[in-house]
Amino acid sequence: MTLVIAPPFDTGPSHAVSRLRTVRLAASAKPFVARGSGGGRCDGCRLVASHCVCALRPQVSTRAGFCLVMGDIEALKPSNTGWLVADVVTDTWAFGWARTEVDPGLLALLADPQWQPYVVFPGEFVPSGRVVTALSAPTETSPEPGGRKPLFILLDGTWSEARKMFRKSPYLDALPVLSLHPDQVSNYRLRRSSRESHFCTSEVAALCLALAGETRAADNLAAWLDVFTTHYLSAKRSVVLDRESEAHQRLLGLSREPAPTPAA
């Protein structure tokens, strides 16, 4: 398998996961056809055209960044929520994962001195000395001590895929592991998980943003997932889409909030 890398979001219509998807499709031996795509899907949000959410997409300035290490076909799935992270957070990178290869671009990102990488994974699977549960003095406008900004590494795939990626990626072994302990349950409704404690990728990203003091971005990402879910399930179940739903109103309200003023 050839590894592929997508650079971070730019001013064009695509972003890291979108470009990873394009490269992954080009490398496929046969076309990937998602269920329910007979009516055509929007390239910007992967939903059927009648339920497109692109006009509602929020983008929020953050100091934190995300590195998505994705299972083989994750970027191809319309229900993938790593895509939503890249929608909202400008500094998002996406890499395909393979056991025997690692993209030099991923290694370069992890070594970039502006970033402090954290592998986001349950602490029960690693020695306690490697686990962190909080970030140092997080604020909306201040980076990590020493000028380094948090870079959250999310292993985007099924639980079995994520465990495999974690165990078989030696370039992650020296990095601290951020173990999250949320006090709420997952609201994710697009796929089933064998473990009730599991959160989808965008939910995990929102928790990371909140931990880093990026509350505005965390709230927008959570609202964006809710709106995307509403549109996705409406199309899947062939029910009337309520564009005045609570989820829509919440996202609209967040878009009207003024951005915080940076500290002097």
Side-chain angles (χ1 to χ4, degrees), residues 123-145:
E124 63 193 271
F125 296 97
V126 295
S128 59
R130 191 180 165 195
V131 176
V132 298
T133 57
L135 305 183
S136 301
T139 68
E140 289 277 1
T141 57
S142 298
E144 287 284 279

Side-chain angles (χ1 to χ4, degrees), residues 11-264:
T11 57
S14 65
H15 55 53
V17 182
S18 172
R19 292 193 288 273
L20 179 61
R21 179 180 184 274
T22 298
V23 176
R24 179 62 182 80
L25 283 170
S28 298
K30 59 181 180 179
F32 179 87
V33 180
R35 286 178 293 180
S37 60
R41 290 184 181 270
C42 171
D43 289 336
C45 64
R46 308 154 296 155
L47 297 177
V48 293
S50 60
H51 289 64
C52 174
V53 291
C54 289
L56 302 174
R57 186 176 89 177
Q59 287 181 265
V60 183
S61 176
T62 67
R63 297 196 65 91
F66 288 94
C67 173
L68 303 177
V69 182
M70 306 185 76
D72 183 38
I73 64 170
E74 276 301 318
L76 303 181
K77 297 177 181 178
S79 60
N80 174 266
T81 66
W83 185 290
L84 306 182
V85 179
D87 280 341
V88 176
V89 179
T90 301
D91 284 326
T92 298
W93 287 261
F95 299 86
W97 184 85
R99 184 178 61 82
T100 58
E101 300 177 73
V102 56
D103 195 302
L106 172 55
L107 298 180
L109 176 62
L110 299 182
D112 188 329
Q114 72 173 304
W115 298 108
Q116 171 56 63
Y118 296 94
V119 184
V120 183
F121 203 75
E124 63 193 271
F125 296 97
V126 295
S128 59
R130 191 180 165 195
V131 176
V132 298
T133 57
L135 305 183
S136 301
T139 68
E140 289 277 1
T141 57
S142 298
E144 287 284 279
R148 303 181 77 187
K149 300 177 292 185
L151 178 71
F152 301 109
I153 303 167
L154 307 183
L155 307 179
D156 191 9
T158 64
W159 173 235
S160 60
E161 287 174 329
R163 291 187 66 181
K164 183 178 180 180
M165 286 188 274
F166 186 79
R167 294 195 314 268
K168 298 183 180 295
S169 301
Y171 48 89
L172 301 179
D173 290 348
L175 300 177
V177 172
L178 178 62
S179 183
L180 301 173
H181 299 279
D183 56 6
Q184 74 265 28
V185 297
S186 173
N187 291 319
Y188 184 54
R189 294 176 285 151
L190 302 185
R191 297 188 217 167
R192 294 180 180 177
S193 174
S194 59
R195 291 166 59 112
E196 293 183 355
S197 60
H198 285 179
F199 287 73
C200 73
T201 300
S202 65
E203 288 178 316
V204 171
L207 292 169
C208 290
L209 289 167
L211 196 62
E214 304 271 11
T215 53
R216 184 167 180 264
D219 290 345
N220 271 272
L221 181 54
W224 183 228
L225 171 63
D226 286 345
V227 168
F228 178 83
T229 299
T230 298
H231 283 239
Y232 184 99
L233 292 179
S234 172
K236 181 179 180 180
R237 297 169 179 173
S238 299
V239 299
V240 176
L241 175 62
D242 180 8
R243 295 183 181 271
E244 300 297 325
S245 70
E246 181 180 344
H248 287 82
Q249 295 306 311
R250 180 185 176 207
L251 184 63
L252 180 60
L254 288 168
S255 71
R256 291 171 175 166
E257 292 182 0
T261 301

